[in-house]
Amino acid sequence: QLQASGGGLVQAGGSLRLSCAASGRTFSSYATGWFREAPGKEREFVSAINWSGSNRFYADSMKGRFTISRTNAGTTVYLQMNGLKPEDTAVYYCAAARWPSLVRGEVDYWGKGTLVTVSS
């Protein structure tokens, strides 16, 4: 089970850190990442990190603003979001799959989302 948290309301230019905690099974050998779904839009890939933390991948619009990391045990993955923009407003979902399938959107496990709202 994957549980996302850390969402909230922030002003444009602000920061948030999302957390994705794994429980019930080990995800240490899985890549873990984030997708988001804005109102009226399709779910899109945000970022992913492989099981060892040696590979990270970001969608173009997040590069330089978002940073993904994970604990050594692989039980928690973080998404540090800086320089937030109103267009970043969305429900953010954590997900897990094998690498690099996750980057292609081929998800094995979805977590419940956490809402991020960025005001202008």
Side-chain angles (χ1 to χ4, degrees), residues 39-92:
K41 295 186 177 181
E42 293 186 354
R43 192 171 297 187
E44 64 174 346
F45 171 81
V46 174
S47 180
I49 187 169
N50 72 337
W51 68 273
S52 68
S54 61
N55 285 309
R56 296 175 173 85
F57 197 83
Y58 300 92
D60 287 343
S61 61
M62 289 74 170
K63 288 179 181 177
R65 299 189 301 126
F66 291 6
T67 303
I68 193 169
S69 60
R70 65 187 297 161
T71 57
N72 288 337
T75 54
T76 305
V77 173
Y78 302 100
L79 185 69
Q80 178 67 43
M81 305 186 295
N82 299 326
L84 284 163
K85 306 174 182 179
E87 51 264 42
D88 293 318
T89 295
V91 176
Y92 284 70

Side-chain angles (χ1 to χ4, degrees), residues 1-4 19-23 75-77 94:
Q1 183 178 3
L2 301 172
Q3 182 65 51
S19 299
C20 175
S23 63
T75 54
T76 305
V77 173
C94 60

